[in-house]
Amino acid sequence: MTETEIETLPAAEPATILFVDDEANILSSLKRLFRPLGYRIFIAESGAAGLQVFEQNPIDLVISDMRMPEMNGAEFLEKVRAKWPDAVRILLTGYADVTSTIAAINKGEIYRYIAKPWDDNDIVLTVKHALERKNLELEKLRLEALTLKQNEALKDLNANLEAKVRERTEEVRQTMGFLEVAHKQLKESYLTSLKVFANLMELREGAMGGHSRRVADYARRLAQRLGLSDSEVQDVMFAGLLHDIGKIGLPDHLLHKPFSALTAEERAEVIKHPAIGQAALMALENMKEAARLIRSHHERFDGMGYPDGLSGIAIPRGARILAVANDYDAVQTGSVLSRRLTETEAREFLLEGRGKRYDPKVADVFLEMLGGIDSSGYAGPEVKILATALRKGMVLARDLVSHDGLLLLSKDYLLDDAMIEQIRSFEQAEGKPLAIYVRPGKE
């Protein structure tokens, strides 16, 4: 045998092996072969003696001869299986007794049988592989027990949460129930992953908790109204649930700060999240299409979005749906603008972005789904001016957007001297005049 053919187990926790044979020379040979490998070795010259060793010591693996007086190998291994089922059992046979070997397999449920005379390399590798398999099974049991313990801890935590959180958890559970019905053919690990991702986002959203669930529901209903197939509707809904998964790595102060209030450096970090979200989900085969939608849900219909600057129908239809559903909820939770919009104002925000931020058809169908909008508030003068002409008390008539498509200030923002100075400084740094639309305000 070469050194590479014999691998020792870690010295800290050596495996324990028992050899049972009525021939002393066989036991000596096995001891000489296995002792240098770092195992703890026990020997017994009969089945009865082997059972005594089991009573007194934890045994990981036992190799027993078949032909022994009083109690043969099959009988011995059957007793071992009954009382110590976790011990790996190997039969050593020196004659072609098919009936006895079959009895050992059936009664002792042996891992493998080895014929005498054995090949040293073969028996060493057999033991090595058997112990590796045993360790994998023990690790599986450990992980299952750990998962059960963590699940129980989570149940205890949920049981003590305030009523509002319990209601939200129930809503998430209902959404997960819909996903399970819609995807009966998905593997259990895939469903579990979706639940974990959704729960992680809910835990971090804080005051905005439920945003992903609401976006998923809006997007699902909108996709159905637009005539998407069942599989496309499901992809849109999954993308809605996980559209902000790329934000998990962001610090808390960025998650709870409106996008319009972010500095240039902070925005550079935040706008990475669609691509990060896609990358995080690409390993899941059934999530590849949803991941593609997540990447593009911040693209704009006019081509001024991110991360790829797509425009028009080059933006996946599901992503165009997500953009409308996401912004409608986000402007009401305060994650986009400097103030939270009312439901009516949110609808007006979508109408203002029709053909610019959003696919006109998608926006129209969504507004129809919500029950329409009173557009009378859009009547009134607006004028395009230079930053140098801005005055305190003016109100933005349209969103103020950078040349890269980033929202700087939202429509209806009341300008003061400090903000006017910031706009002028930003325009000077950009080197290009901004498209600024204002209407007179009340002094």
Side-chain angles (χ1 to χ4, degrees):
M1 292 182 295
T2 65
E3 291 183 356
T4 57
E5 291 175 323
I6 301 176
E7 299 181 11
T8 61
L9 294 179
E13 296 183 9
T16 304
I17 302 177
L18 169 62
F19 300 116
V20 182
D21 199 303
D22 61 332
E23 298 183 40
N25 62 325
I26 297 295
L27 296 176
S28 297
S29 296
L30 291 171
K31 285 174 60 179
R32 284 195 302 271
L33 177 61
F34 281 92
R35 191 177 295 278
L37 304 182
Y39 300 111
R40 292 180 60 212
I41 304 298
F42 291 91
I43 61 173
E45 296 183 352
S46 67
L51 294 176
Q52 290 181 356
V53 173
F54 266 99
E55 292 285 357
Q56 299 171 2
N57 302 277
I59 303 298
D60 295 308
L61 182 145
V62 57
I63 298 179
S64 173
D65 187 25
M66 168 59 79
R67 178 173 289 183
M68 295 185 297
E70 298 180 0
M71 183 189 305
N72 63 31
E75 295 169 339
F76 167 66
L77 293 179
E78 181 182 2
K79 294 181 182 293
V80 170
R81 181 192 64 79
K83 197 166 184 179
W84 298 280
D86 292 336
V88 181
R89 298 170 293 280
I90 297 177
L91 181 68
L92 195 63
T93 178
Y95 62 96
D97 188 342
V98 175
T99 302
S100 299
T101 301
I102 292 175
I105 293 173
N106 292 336
K107 297 180 180 180
E109 294 183 3
I110 64 171
Y111 170 75
R112 184 175 170 182
Y113 69 88
I114 300 174
K116 294 180 182 178
W118 64 78
D119 176 87
D120 285 354
N121 186 60
D122 180 62
I123 194 172
V124 167
L125 290 177
T126 297
V127 169
K128 174 179 177 293
H129 293 159
L131 291 172
E132 287 176 347
R133 178 183 175 184
K134 174 183 174 67
N135 289 335
L136 287 174
E137 292 175 347
L138 291 176
E139 179 65 9
K140 176 176 176 291
L141 293 174
R142 186 189 72 80
L143 291 175
E144 289 176 347
L146 178 61
T147 300
L148 179 61
K149 181 179 179 181
Q150 291 174 338
N151 286 340
E152 291 299 324
L154 183 59
K155 289 179 181 178
D156 292 340
L157 176 62
N158 287 339
N160 295 322
L161 292 177
E162 57 183 337
K164 185 175 180 180
V165 176
R166 287 198 300 269
E167 293 173 2
R168 184 178 301 160
T169 302
E170 181 60 27
E171 292 173 353
V172 172
R173 191 174 294 117
Q174 291 174 1
T175 302
M176 291 301 103
F178 171 82
L179 295 178
E180 185 174 359
V181 171
H183 282 264
K184 290 181 180 180
Q185 296 180 352
L186 289 180
K187 294 181 180 179
E188 185 63 28
S189 59
Y190 173 59
L191 292 176
T192 301
S193 298
L194 287 179
K195 294 177 183 179
V196 170
F197 292 156
N199 286 340
L200 285 174
M201 289 187 291
E202 289 294 325
L203 289 173
R204 292 210 66 197
E205 281 178 343
M208 294 183 292
H211 169 68
S212 296
R213 173 180 50 76
R214 291 190 296 272
V215 170
D217 186 57
Y218 287 139
R220 174 184 60 81
R221 292 161 53 199
L222 180 54
Q224 289 173 336
R225 280 182 172 248
L226 287 166
L228 274 67
S229 68
D230 289 344
S231 62
E232 290 173 323
V233 171
Q234 290 168 10
D235 287 332
V236 169
M237 180 177 178
F238 289 158
L241 279 172
L242 304 178
H243 72 280
D244 279 340
I245 191 70
K247 291 184 178 179
I248 285 182
L250 293 176
D252 288 343
H253 75 277
L254 292 186
L255 287 178
H256 301 121
K257 189 175 182 181
F259 188 82
S260 61
L262 297 176
T263 65
E265 293 79 8
E266 291 171 336
R267 289 184 181 184
E269 287 300 311
V270 171
I271 65 175
K272 295 177 183 177
H273 80 269
I276 294 174
Q278 180 193 32
L281 298 175
M282 284 302 290
L284 297 173
E285 181 65 29
N286 290 311
M287 286 295 292
K288 286 187 176 180
E289 180 58 26
R292 188 171 74 96
L293 303 184
I294 288 172
R295 180 184 180 90
S296 299
H297 79 280
H298 278 294
E299 301 288 357
R300 289 173 51 122
F301 200 70
D302 59 10
M304 300 185 69
Y306 58 87
D308 302 311
L310 302 179
S311 63
I313 61 173
I315 304 171
R317 184 162 56 164
R320 283 177 267 152
I321 291 172
L322 280 180
V324 172
N326 179 47
D327 283 3
Y328 176 72
D329 190 77
V331 296
Q332 294 182 72
T333 61
S335 63
V336 176
L337 308 178
S338 56
R339 67 179 182 88
R340 295 186 179 189
L341 301 187
T342 65
E343 184 176 338
T344 298
E345 290 172 331
R347 298 183 187 188
E348 294 175 349
F349 182 87
L350 296 184
L351 187 59
E352 173 69 18
R354 183 183 182 279
K356 292 179 289 185
R357 291 175 176 273
Y358 315 115
D359 180 334
K361 180 179 179 181
V362 173
D364 289 346
V365 173
F366 185 71
L367 291 172
E368 179 186 354
M369 183 180 80
L370 295 178
I373 182 169
D374 179 8
S375 60
S376 60
Y378 285 87
E382 70 174 30
V383 60
K384 182 178 181 181
I385 65 173
L386 298 175
T388 54
L390 291 174
R391 296 292 182 267
K392 178 181 178 181
M394 288 183 173
V395 177
L396 290 178
R398 303 184 187 181
D399 290 342
L400 180 60
V401 180
S402 73
H403 295 287
D404 295 328
L406 299 179
L407 178 68
L408 302 177
L409 291 173
S410 62
K411 174 181 175 291
D412 295 328
Y413 189 95
L414 178 64
L415 297 175
D416 56 22
D417 291 336
M419 185 54 66
I420 291 172
E421 184 61 32
Q422 289 187 40
I423 294 173
R424 291 170 179 170
S425 298
F426 182 85
E427 185 178 78
Q428 184 177 6
E430 288 276 283
K432 299 178 183 179
L434 295 170
I436 307 174
Y437 293 84
V438 300
R439 61 176 180 266
K442 295 180 179 180
E443 292 292 344

